[in-house]
Amino acid sequence: MIQTDNGSSNDFIRDKVSDDNRTGKFSGAVVTRFPPEPNGYLHIGHAKSACLNFGLAAENNGRCHLRFDDTNPAKEEEEYVEAIMEDVRWLGWSWGEHLYFASDHFDKLYEFALTLVSSGHAYVDDLTQDQIREYRGTLTKPGRESPCRNRSVAENLDLFKRMRKGEFEEGQKVLRAKINMSSGNINMRDPVLYRILKVSHHRTGDKWCIYPMYDFAHGQSDSIEGVTHSICTMEYEDHRPLYDWILETLGVYKPEQTEFARLNLTHTVLSKRKLVQLVEDGKVTGWDDPRMPTLAGMRRRGYPPEAIRSFCDQVGVAKRQNTIEFAMLEHAVRDQLNKTAPRVMAVLHPLKVVITNYPEAQVEYLEATNNPEDPDAGSRKLPFSRELYIEREDFMEDPPNKFFRLSPGREVRLRYGYFVTCTDVVKNDAGEIIEIQCTYDPETHGGQAPDGRKVKGTIHWVSAQHAVNALSRLYNPLFNVEHPDKEDDFIKHLNPDSITVEDDSKVEPSLTQAEPGSTVQFERLGYFTVDPDSQPGALVFNQTVTLRDSWSKKQHQK
Ligand code: ATP
Ligand code: MG
């Protein structure tokens, strides 16, 4: 893969567009479209398609249309239209004036259908859906012609117009292209172009009771809008001859369809049908549940849009199917947040520490660096006092050899603060540790001992009287198998431990005013994002990603 000036990688589609520009195939114009069906929220696979289509347009001074493929009125909802627009904008892409709906083109599509009927290239069929399927044949067996196939043009025109008027019931009649019932490509065996659906449409209301099929709407919409490069996923490769046939038979402008492989990710599912099921069955809290592979979920989880774009770029565009490791996406997220996320001190699972030789009423403000990767981020003052919270896991009463954190008699460094030594362990009646007592060495202010003695561990902490209460949600993959998509029943493989809640976390006071959506690094713990469920004085954090990068380590070992 070759990196180009704009940061995007060269791939066969970009090469093709460059060739077309050189040969003047579309007079140097590049017009693409991103065509979601508004029957669910966008997922990371859609982000790949959006980045490709909007990216190509941006790189070539062209334009990319956002076009809703709303040809199936039964499944589509306004909520999805709004959510999809929000997600595309959030990713950083703009369609400018070019927002379209396939339904904007319904009048024109109906005219196109009349043209095909008039020229003898389409006919009204009375076969039922089941019969059509049966007549269609198989990959090894040619199809059979419908008894209605040789209706006269006049009869077809009359019947099709009456279909439109609502004179027939759903399933009673369809309009089919007249192509070739023994074609090796089943899509060419007189595909259905229009069906009767007596349902209102979210945009056209009750104007229509016949609706075009995807194959009849898509290419013609591309043509009407002046799209040059119609980019879609591999499952449409076998539809390309039909795409071309309809436009050529109509004798209208024909864009060029090119297919690429869908993005697949481990430990998740990227199919709206399956995602709808997770939402409707309450397996997740909604489309924006931070465990979902949706853009709304990733936003709530704290993934920056820059990281998603960079991931899509790294994944690249090819014809061959493959599955990308989720860890690679997390790597991109970590990479971005490392540069931008302020560091803060937070304790997920607190244990009280009392520094017995520290004056009771005293508070000191220690200088803490906001982001070592970004000198412009500056520093802040962290309150330090006699009572602190540390991470429960940073103390062990009876530690193994390699444990360098706090334990009885052991001295450690408190981040940005002093050396402290554990002198006592306080337990309740049940024998559980409820408090640690320490002494501090006032000479070690700033974390260095004047006598040069060293400590092996540095731990984080929060001053108890200044701490802000928080709830932290920690995440694991939604599925506990790598390829839930390939299983018979993907629901069975949901990970019961995909979320753990720590409801007694303590965070430093600088976070009091933190806005929902802002992302910070909890030192030593990972990146966390403020959830919109937060209330004043009771923050809710979603773990965005851990600090440890298993993916880049693995790449290194390869
Ligand atoms: P799903 O199976 O998730 O419902 P879809 O293809 O039906 O996907 P659309 O709303 O029709 O969803 O997709 C809009 C665009 O995004 C299409 O061009 C489609 O090819 C593309 N797309 C969908 N899923 C992926 C994916 N996993 N990787 C890349 N592109 C995708
Ligand atoms: Mg689709």
Side-chain angles (χ1 to χ4, degrees):
M1 223 183 285
I2 305 159
Q3 288 290 312
T4 53
D5 293 347
N6 53 37
S8 290
S9 312
N10 258 341
D11 52 61
F12 78 98
I13 294 185
R14 287 184 163 87
D15 289 346
K16 199 173 182 125
V17 170
S18 300
D19 280 351
D20 291 345
N21 284 345
R22 209 178 37 250
T23 59
K25 180 161 182 188
F26 296 105
S27 315
V30 176
V31 182
T32 56
R33 84 283 168 275
F34 173 59
E37 185 180 348
N39 59 349
Y41 280 52
L42 297 185
H43 54 61
I44 182 82
H46 294 114
K48 174 173 171 174
S49 170
C51 288
L52 177 59
N53 281 297
F54 282 99
L56 262 176
E59 291 154 27
N60 290 283
N61 259 320
R63 59 175 206 262
C64 178
H65 300 180
L66 174 62
R67 184 201 310 141
F68 287 98
D69 161 24
D70 58 352
T71 49
N72 186 355
K75 284 197 300 182
E76 290 148 10
E77 285 177 34
E78 196 59 36
E79 175 199 349
Y80 298 136
V81 170
E82 294 299 323
I84 289 170
M85 292 202 280
E86 185 184 354
D87 287 346
V88 173
R89 271 191 223 108
W90 175 72
L91 269 183
W93 302 116
S94 167
W95 53 88
E97 305 286 288
H98 297 280
L99 172 65
Y100 301 97
F101 290 82
S103 57
D104 294 343
H105 307 311
F106 279 176
D107 283 307
K108 188 77 194 160
L109 293 174
Y110 178 68
E111 270 177 46
F112 280 149
L114 287 175
T115 305
L116 288 185
V117 175
S118 304
S119 62
H121 290 101
Y123 61 97
V124 173
D125 199 352
D126 303 346
L127 292 185
T128 63
Q129 212 180 345
D130 287 343
Q131 287 171 321
I132 290 178
R133 195 174 305 123
E134 188 198 315
Y135 273 62
R136 189 176 290 138
T138 62
L139 282 174
T140 50
K141 208 173 98 209
R144 277 186 295 143
E145 294 187 357
S146 161
C148 306
R149 196 174 198 262
N150 293 314
R151 275 183 165 144
S152 69
V153 167
E155 192 184 355
N156 282 320
L157 271 177
D158 173 61
L159 289 172
F160 185 51
K161 287 179 181 168
R162 286 167 56 199
M163 274 170 68
R164 191 215 162 145
K165 282 193 201 140
E167 289 185 22
F168 306 108
E169 293 313 309
E170 282 187 16
Q172 251 191 315
K173 292 199 171 7
V174 291
L175 183 74
R176 297 178 70 175
K178 192 170 181 176
I179 311 181
N180 178 2
M181 285 309 291
S182 47
S183 170
N185 181 340
I186 293 181
N187 292 304
M188 300 298 272
R189 295 185 189 167
D190 293 10
V192 173
L193 304 181
Y194 264 92
R195 76 267 205 228
I196 299 168
L197 285 174
K198 299 208 164 165
V199 260
S200 349
H201 184 280
H202 75 118
R203 288 182 63 86
T204 58
D206 293 322
K207 178 173 174 188
W208 299 92
C209 62
I210 55 170
Y211 289 94
M213 301 299 287
Y214 171 87
D215 280 324
F216 193 66
H218 198 83
Q220 282 61 260
S221 298
D222 285 347
S223 172
I224 294 165
E225 293 172 22
V227 165
T228 56
H229 298 85
S230 178
I231 298 162
C232 55
T233 37
M234 289 309 291
E235 67 271 26
Y236 293 104
E237 193 174 28
D238 289 345
H239 294 240
R240 181 161 19 104
L242 178 57
Y243 182 105
D244 290 344
W245 181 91
I246 300 174
L247 291 171
E248 281 161 13
T249 307
L250 287 168
V252 294
Y253 161 73
K254 184 164 70 88
E256 177 180 46
Q257 176 179 312
T258 308
E259 308 85 18
F260 71 100
R262 298 172 83 85
L263 171 71
N264 300 303
L265 260 194
T266 59
H267 300 285
T268 193
V269 291
L270 293 184
S271 136
K272 272 183 282 183
R273 188 178 56 76
K274 290 180 176 161
L275 296 174
V276 168
Q277 196 182 333
L278 293 176
V279 173
E280 286 183 350
D281 295 355
K283 304 290 182 196
V284 292
T285 58
W287 285 100
D288 66 348
D289 186 306
R291 295 167 293 177
M292 289 281 272
T294 52
L295 296 183
M298 292 182 177
R299 176 164 62 240
R300 191 159 180 181
R301 178 116 182 221
Y303 286 15
E306 296 82 0
I308 293 176
R309 294 221 305 265
S310 139
F311 167 75
C312 290
D313 230 34
Q314 285 167 37
V315 163
V317 178
K319 284 225 174 245
R320 199 168 52 90
Q321 287 284 354
N322 68 346
T323 302
I324 304 293
E325 284 185 55
F326 205 94
M328 182 175 167
L329 174 59
E330 293 192 318
H331 173 78
V333 170
R334 207 177 273 118
D335 214 40
Q336 177 68 23
L337 291 178
N338 181 42
K339 291 181 250 174
T340 57
R343 275 54 169 171
V344 296
M345 300 263 257
V347 173
L348 293 180
H349 193 197
L351 175 60
K352 170 85 69 77
V353 169
V354 178
I355 303 172
T356 51
N357 60 339
Y358 194 87
E360 273 197 35
Q362 186 168 312
V363 178
E364 262 180 273
Y365 286 87
L366 307 172
E367 191 82 10
T369 309
N370 287 336
N371 187 348
E373 300 293 321
D374 176 10
D376 293 338
S379 62
R380 69 194 183 285
K381 299 285 187 192
L382 262 185
F384 180 87
S385 62
R386 182 180 154 93
E387 296 195 0
L388 313 171
Y389 292 114
I390 65 164
E391 208 66 62
R392 203 160 263 275
E393 287 70 28
D394 281 338
F395 178 81
M396 276 187 97
E397 196 174 15
D398 192 10
N401 267 346
K402 288 255 162 92
F403 187 83
F404 298 122
R405 291 165 276 165
L406 204 59
S407 55
R410 171 81 53 79
E411 186 172 47
V412 297
R413 178 190 291 108
L414 293 175
R415 176 88 163 132
Y416 297 119
Y418 298 94
F419 285 12
V420 292
T421 305
C422 170
T423 52
D424 249 313
V425 178
V426 183
K427 295 184 181 170
N428 62 13
D429 293 342
E432 295 155 350
I433 299 173
I434 52 166
E435 183 181 304
I436 301 299
Q437 298 193 338
C438 290
T439 53
Y440 86 118
D441 176 355
E443 298 296 313
T444 56
H445 182 98
Q448 301 295 329
D451 63 4
R453 77 180 187 279
K454 300 272 184 249
V455 287
K456 284 220 167 116
T458 300
I459 64 178
H460 62 274
W461 51 272
V462 176
S463 164
Q465 61 170 300
H466 302 95
V468 181
N469 291 326
L471 177 146
S472 328
R473 301 171 179 151
L474 308 179
Y475 297 110
N476 275 313
L478 187 52
F479 291 93
N480 48 23
V481 291
E482 272 198 31
H483 305 287
D485 256 336
K486 294 186 184 152
E487 304 286 338
D488 296 341
D489 180 10
F490 74 104
I491 294 284
K492 271 206 309 235
H493 300 278
L494 276 166
N495 180 1
D497 301 318
S498 58
I499 177 166
T500 348
V501 174
E502 293 287 356
D503 58 6
D504 186 30
S505 300
K506 307 286 182 187
V507 303
E508 65 168 68
S510 73
L511 287 170
T512 312
Q513 305 294 336
E515 290 287 329
S518 54
T519 304
V520 293
Q521 185 195 99
F522 288 177
E523 291 210 29
R524 298 181 63 226
L525 298 172
Y527 294 95
F528 286 77
T529 297
V530 183
D531 191 84
D533 286 346
S534 297
Q535 301 287 330
L539 292 164
V540 177
F541 284 93
N542 298 325
Q543 180 190 48
T544 309
V545 68
T546 55
L547 289 181
R548 208 170 51 105
D549 187 350
S550 51
W551 188 78
S552 67
K553 209 160 123 196
K554 224 160 113 185
Q555 295 310 101
H556 211 70
Q557 286 164 357
K558 268 186 189 166

